[in-house]
Amino acid sequence: MANLVHEVYRPFAAGFRPTALTWSGEAVRACASSWLMAHREDELVGVVHQTPDPAGHTLDALAVSAPWRRRGIGTQLVAAVEDRALALGRRRMVIALRDSLGANIEFFTSLGYRPTQPFPPAHHLYVKEIGARE
């Protein structure tokens, strides 16, 4: 999993140090149950890290292998995280998005995430209310 995350985030390292690059193989193994994976045949094609948080259920380090992008895998992974959050009784999703990464912002806003507040340095928190309110 860490290899895929590094493959996806390494190109951004020229402009800034993505926090996703701090995920080592050892760190991923230590919290393997908080990662969701997408496979096609026998190939790992996407991953996302997710965890409950007092501010809402958070997700980060969404990574889809380049040959598999724009095929709905990222959308499926986010939906799986939202399903897990709902199963835990969470109704709010949270992600920190870097202000300079327009494609990431466009992707998450297309899924219903909305900016709420600055998250220094150079990020904003995006949230989405999920599930039916009773």
Side-chain angles (χ1 to χ4, degrees):
M1 285 185 279
N3 288 342
L4 178 56
V5 171
H6 284 246
E7 168 194 323
V8 169
Y9 285 88
R10 193 174 297 116
F12 298 106
F16 61 93
R17 177 78 175 152
T19 55
L21 292 178
T22 62
W23 285 106
S24 66
E26 183 177 304
V28 168
R29 282 188 296 280
C31 64
S33 65
S34 65
W35 288 84
L36 300 180
M37 299 175 282
H39 291 87
R40 294 300 181 265
E41 298 170 14
D42 291 333
E43 183 181 357
L44 176 65
V45 298
V47 297
V48 64
H49 180 252
Q50 55 79 45
T51 186
D53 183 276
H57 202 89
T58 63
L59 65 145
D60 65 282
L62 176 65
V64 176
S65 182
W68 291 94
R69 291 186 191 143
R70 309 208 60 81
R71 296 185 189 194
I73 293 168
T75 301
Q76 291 169 359
L77 284 166
V78 172
V81 171
E82 292 173 0
D83 288 345
R84 182 172 279 191
L86 284 170
L88 294 171
R90 299 295 185 148
R91 299 283 183 244
R92 186 173 196 230
M93 298 297 306
V94 180
I95 185 168
L97 298 175
R98 181 170 280 276
D99 296 334
S100 63
L101 297 180
N104 290 358
I105 292 169
E106 184 179 323
F107 172 74
F108 279 97
T109 57
S110 77
L111 298 177
Y113 288 75
R114 299 292 175 249
T116 58
Q117 65 191 46
F119 186 76
H123 293 73
H124 272 77
L125 289 182
Y126 283 69
V127 300
K128 179 181 179 182
E129 300 298 326
I130 58 173
R133 299 272 182 193
E134 294 187 31

